[in-house]
Amino acid sequence: MNKLKIGLIGLGQRGAAYGMKDGSIGLLGNILNNSDVLVTALCDERKERVDFAAEKVIAAGQSEPLKTTSYNEVLSSGIDAVIVCTSWASHVEVALAAMEQGISVGIEVGGTHNLEDMKKLVDTYEKTGTPFMFLENCCYYKDELLVT
């Protein structure tokens, strides 16, 4: 069976928990716990975060991933899916670029602050059919589900 090749863009507290004192490694840790997934590309504007996350990937028994500060390099690296954990200011830009290339997107909480960007996400999904999901967990809690 082929393994899903995934890239992470944004490796701060949510992406790889860089700098956290509790030893957790954020979403990267969840991904590395899945034997059907390979982390093949890592990106952050801060190189020390990329190096930190790459060490965790290697320690988990995977090959050294692409390490870059350019999200476009990640998107052109042959990945199947991308997790976007950048600052909110760039979530939509990165997600739209990925969907335009047919790369499935998981976008970290919030996504955007305005309806125009939300419309861009919906329009791009409808145009490309590329899978897209907000990685928001609290909308599935009992209280939130009772409201819907």
Side-chain angles (χ1 to χ4, degrees):
M1 178 168 96
N2 290 336
K3 295 188 178 197
L4 181 74
K5 294 180 285 183
I6 196 163
L8 269 79
I9 300 174
L11 301 167
Q13 291 187 357
R14 299 289 288 182
Y18 178 81
M20 298 295 286
K21 302 214 184 304
D22 66 0
S24 66
I25 54 173
L27 289 173
L28 176 61
N30 294 338
I31 294 165
L32 291 173
N33 283 331
N34 187 324
S35 62
D36 295 330
V37 177
L38 294 174
V39 176
T40 60
L42 298 168
C43 175
D44 195 279
E45 62 186 14
R46 294 175 49 191
K47 185 182 178 313
E48 66 271 15
R49 290 179 178 176
V50 177
D51 292 339
F52 170 83
E55 289 174 13
K56 302 304 179 188
V57 171
I58 294 165
Q62 294 190 20
S63 299
E64 182 173 23
L66 168 72
K67 301 186 309 183
T68 182
T69 58
S70 167
Y71 76 82
N72 286 309
E73 284 187 54
V74 172
L75 298 181
S76 64
S77 70
I79 58 173
D80 302 308
V82 64
I83 304 296
V84 180
C85 301
T86 61
S87 71
W88 283 16
S90 60
H91 275 173
V92 173
E93 173 187 344
V94 175
L96 294 174
M99 286 193 289
E100 289 287 348
Q101 294 183 46
I103 299 168
S104 299
V105 177
I107 190 171
E108 195 37 65
V109 293
T112 182
H113 291 101
N114 66 67
L115 289 175
E116 182 180 319
D117 281 347
M118 293 300 285
K119 184 171 179 358
K120 288 178 188 175
L121 291 168
V122 170
D123 288 347
T124 302
Y125 167 76
E126 289 177 347
K127 180 177 93 178
T128 65
T130 303
F132 173 89
M133 181 177 184
F134 285 104
L135 301 177
E136 174 59 74
N137 58 355
C138 76
C139 58
Y140 302 106
Y141 294 155
K142 181 180 177 184
D143 291 342
E144 284 80 3
L145 288 172
L146 289 172
V147 172
T148 58

